[in-house]
Amino acid sequence: MSKKLIAVLTGLMLTLSITAQANQPATQAAEPAPIGTFNPFDPNAWMSGFVPGTGATTAALKFNAAHPADWMKWVDPKTHTQMHMMFANPATYAQFVQPQFYFEFMKPENMMAWMDFNQYAVMWDPQTMTHWMNPASYMHAMDPAMYTETMNPANYMVYMNPNTYLAGWTGGQTCDPKKNPNAKKSWFGYHC
């Protein structure tokens, strides 16, 4: 009985696989299936997560853990790869030794944002859920291009700079924030 059921299901799945690919023109190169029509029998569908030339970007490394919008960037299929690439860059973690990162948790507008259900709209989007149910969505984690920034020595130089630690924590040079627009708040006043 179970062998017959397996044979019938296999036949149905193969038929579905063939009919799903039947609408592809023969002259055009096959493209990965759209998100809603993932074919588990097509090896190309499993490898569509590898995007050539996606190297990480070192521009504006900033993650605000106190606000739900930055957490939703991990869930959003459009921004997930950029977030993954940002956290694969060692320079990203320098922000966690700065007091500005922790001051964000004291802002009332950030705390109130957690109560706003509009911040979570991307999580309830059916296209987002369909995307994450597709196994090809997870293949980018094995793409070597995602981790090229870990091999770049320049990304570690931020940890050799004493200003990464001292200026942010001790106040360094104190200055007037009204006169200097570049002044950043530290634990003991502002520093330039």
Side-chain angles (χ1 to χ4, degrees), residues 33-49:
I35 291 173
T37 59
F38 176 72
N39 181 358
F41 295 106
D42 181 12
N44 292 324
W46 290 85
M47 296 301 155
S48 65

Side-chain angles (χ1 to χ4, degrees), residues 21-101:
Q21 296 298 323
N23 61 357
Q24 295 284 335
T27 58
Q28 190 179 26
E31 296 179 9
I35 291 173
T37 59
F38 176 72
N39 181 358
F41 295 106
D42 181 12
N44 292 324
W46 290 85
M47 296 301 155
S48 65
F50 292 111
V51 181
T54 59
T57 176
T58 54
L61 301 171
K62 182 81 173 138
F63 177 69
N64 185 358
H67 199 282
D70 279 8
W71 288 102
M72 289 301 109
K73 289 178 185 175
W74 284 100
V75 177
D76 190 356
K78 294 182 222 86
T79 56
H80 175 78
T81 303
Q82 290 85 7
M83 293 298 288
H84 191 177
M85 289 168 56
M86 182 176 79
F87 274 87
N89 184 347
T92 301
Y93 298 99
Q95 67 184 327
F96 300 135
V97 299
Q98 296 293 320
Q100 292 83 12
F101 178 80

